[in-house]
Amino acid sequence: MQTHQLGSTGPQVSQLGLGLMGMSDLYGPTDRAESIATIHAALEAGVTLLDTGDFYGMGHNELLLREALAGRRREQAVISVKFGALRDPLGGWSGVDNRPVALKNFLAYSLQRLGVEHIDIYRPARLDPAVPIEDTVGAMADLVKAGLIRHIGLSEVGPETLRRAHAVHPISDLQIEYSMISRGIEDGIVQTCRELGIAITAYGVLSRGLISGHWTAQRAGEGDFRGQHSPRFQGDNLRHNLSLVERVRAIADELGVSVAQVAIAWVAAQGAALGADIVPLVGARSRVRLAEALGAASVHLSAADLARLAQAVPAGAAAGARYNAHAVALLDSERRA
């Protein structure tokens, strides 16, 4: 597993990161023992970047990570934590709170749940329209000085917010969705990140499993938000999007690799193509899926391969938005001048 610095100011991280959300929330039933075994397998394979959020399972995910890291050297993991999303007792969403007093409260609870003295990368999950980004980042900068967090990241924000935040304190990375069928960052965001020396940690590289090669029209079950709330997983949209997957499968079969491996390798390849630092985050929930994802690190797509994929799945080919209308309206990254 290769490593490199995350952006111009961030920590040294593995070339692939592991996103932990699905081990606690939103994707249906979970298996605690398998989740911990998967984290262990990732660490043993050289994966250092572990991404969580204090609202994933309302603290469950952080406690799970604490258990998985017990007895291991703290420096073996680069822990990235998102904060600010508000939940209710039934698991619903109540808004965003990025006030300085609130983020300090969130951090106190995260440090306790994780059982650590500092968090490597701390980031607001979404922009709070009621709080200037300068206030949020300024408070986080104070926490860096205090040694409670090491680096400041952002999530799902656009170019203007990136510039304003970076003027207050260096931003290590922007966590944002990026995949063969979610390419909005190519219109201004990636260019701004490249200019400012900010890395991109790309989540949703398999579009929440949609382009993994394993999804079927009957897949979503009880407790899985994708079939209920994600437009790309519904009705005619789903049928169209799965037809795109079959185009990728034909190319993957010729290369002797899986659809998921092609999709992950495509995201990694865009870093070189766009002149940007892009680290794919894979959301594997089992050792089997993790092993498949790790195999993508050795998949090297040629210029001819990338051209064929661009023809098979051109920009804008997906049917349906990546979030429902309410959630899209909250994304600073989706706002265009």
Side-chain angles (χ1 to χ4, degrees), residues 17-29:
L18 182 64
L20 308 182
M21 182 189 77
M23 296 179 179
S24 297
D25 211 357
L26 300 174
Y27 288 173

Side-chain angles (χ1 to χ4, degrees), residues 15-17 178-180 202 204-207 211-212 214 248 257-271 278-284 289-301 306 309:
Q15 68 189 101
L16 293 175
Y178 188 46
S179 72
M180 282 195 289
V205 294
L206 299 179
S207 197
I211 59 173
S212 66
H214 303 298
V248 177
V257 298
S258 73
V259 174
Q261 288 169 338
V262 167
I264 296 167
W266 181 91
V267 171
Q270 299 315 298
I278 300 178
V279 177
L281 295 173
V282 296
R289 292 288 180 256
L290 174 68
E292 179 183 30
L294 293 176
S298 59
V299 175
H300 302 288
L301 300 174
L306 292 170
L309 289 167

Side-chain angles (χ1 to χ4, degrees), residues 123-144:
R123 73 183 80 244
R126 294 291 185 268
L127 183 69
D128 184 344
V131 181
I133 191 64
E134 292 85 355
D135 291 358
T136 300
V137 174
M140 295 170 72
D142 290 340
L143 296 173
V144 171

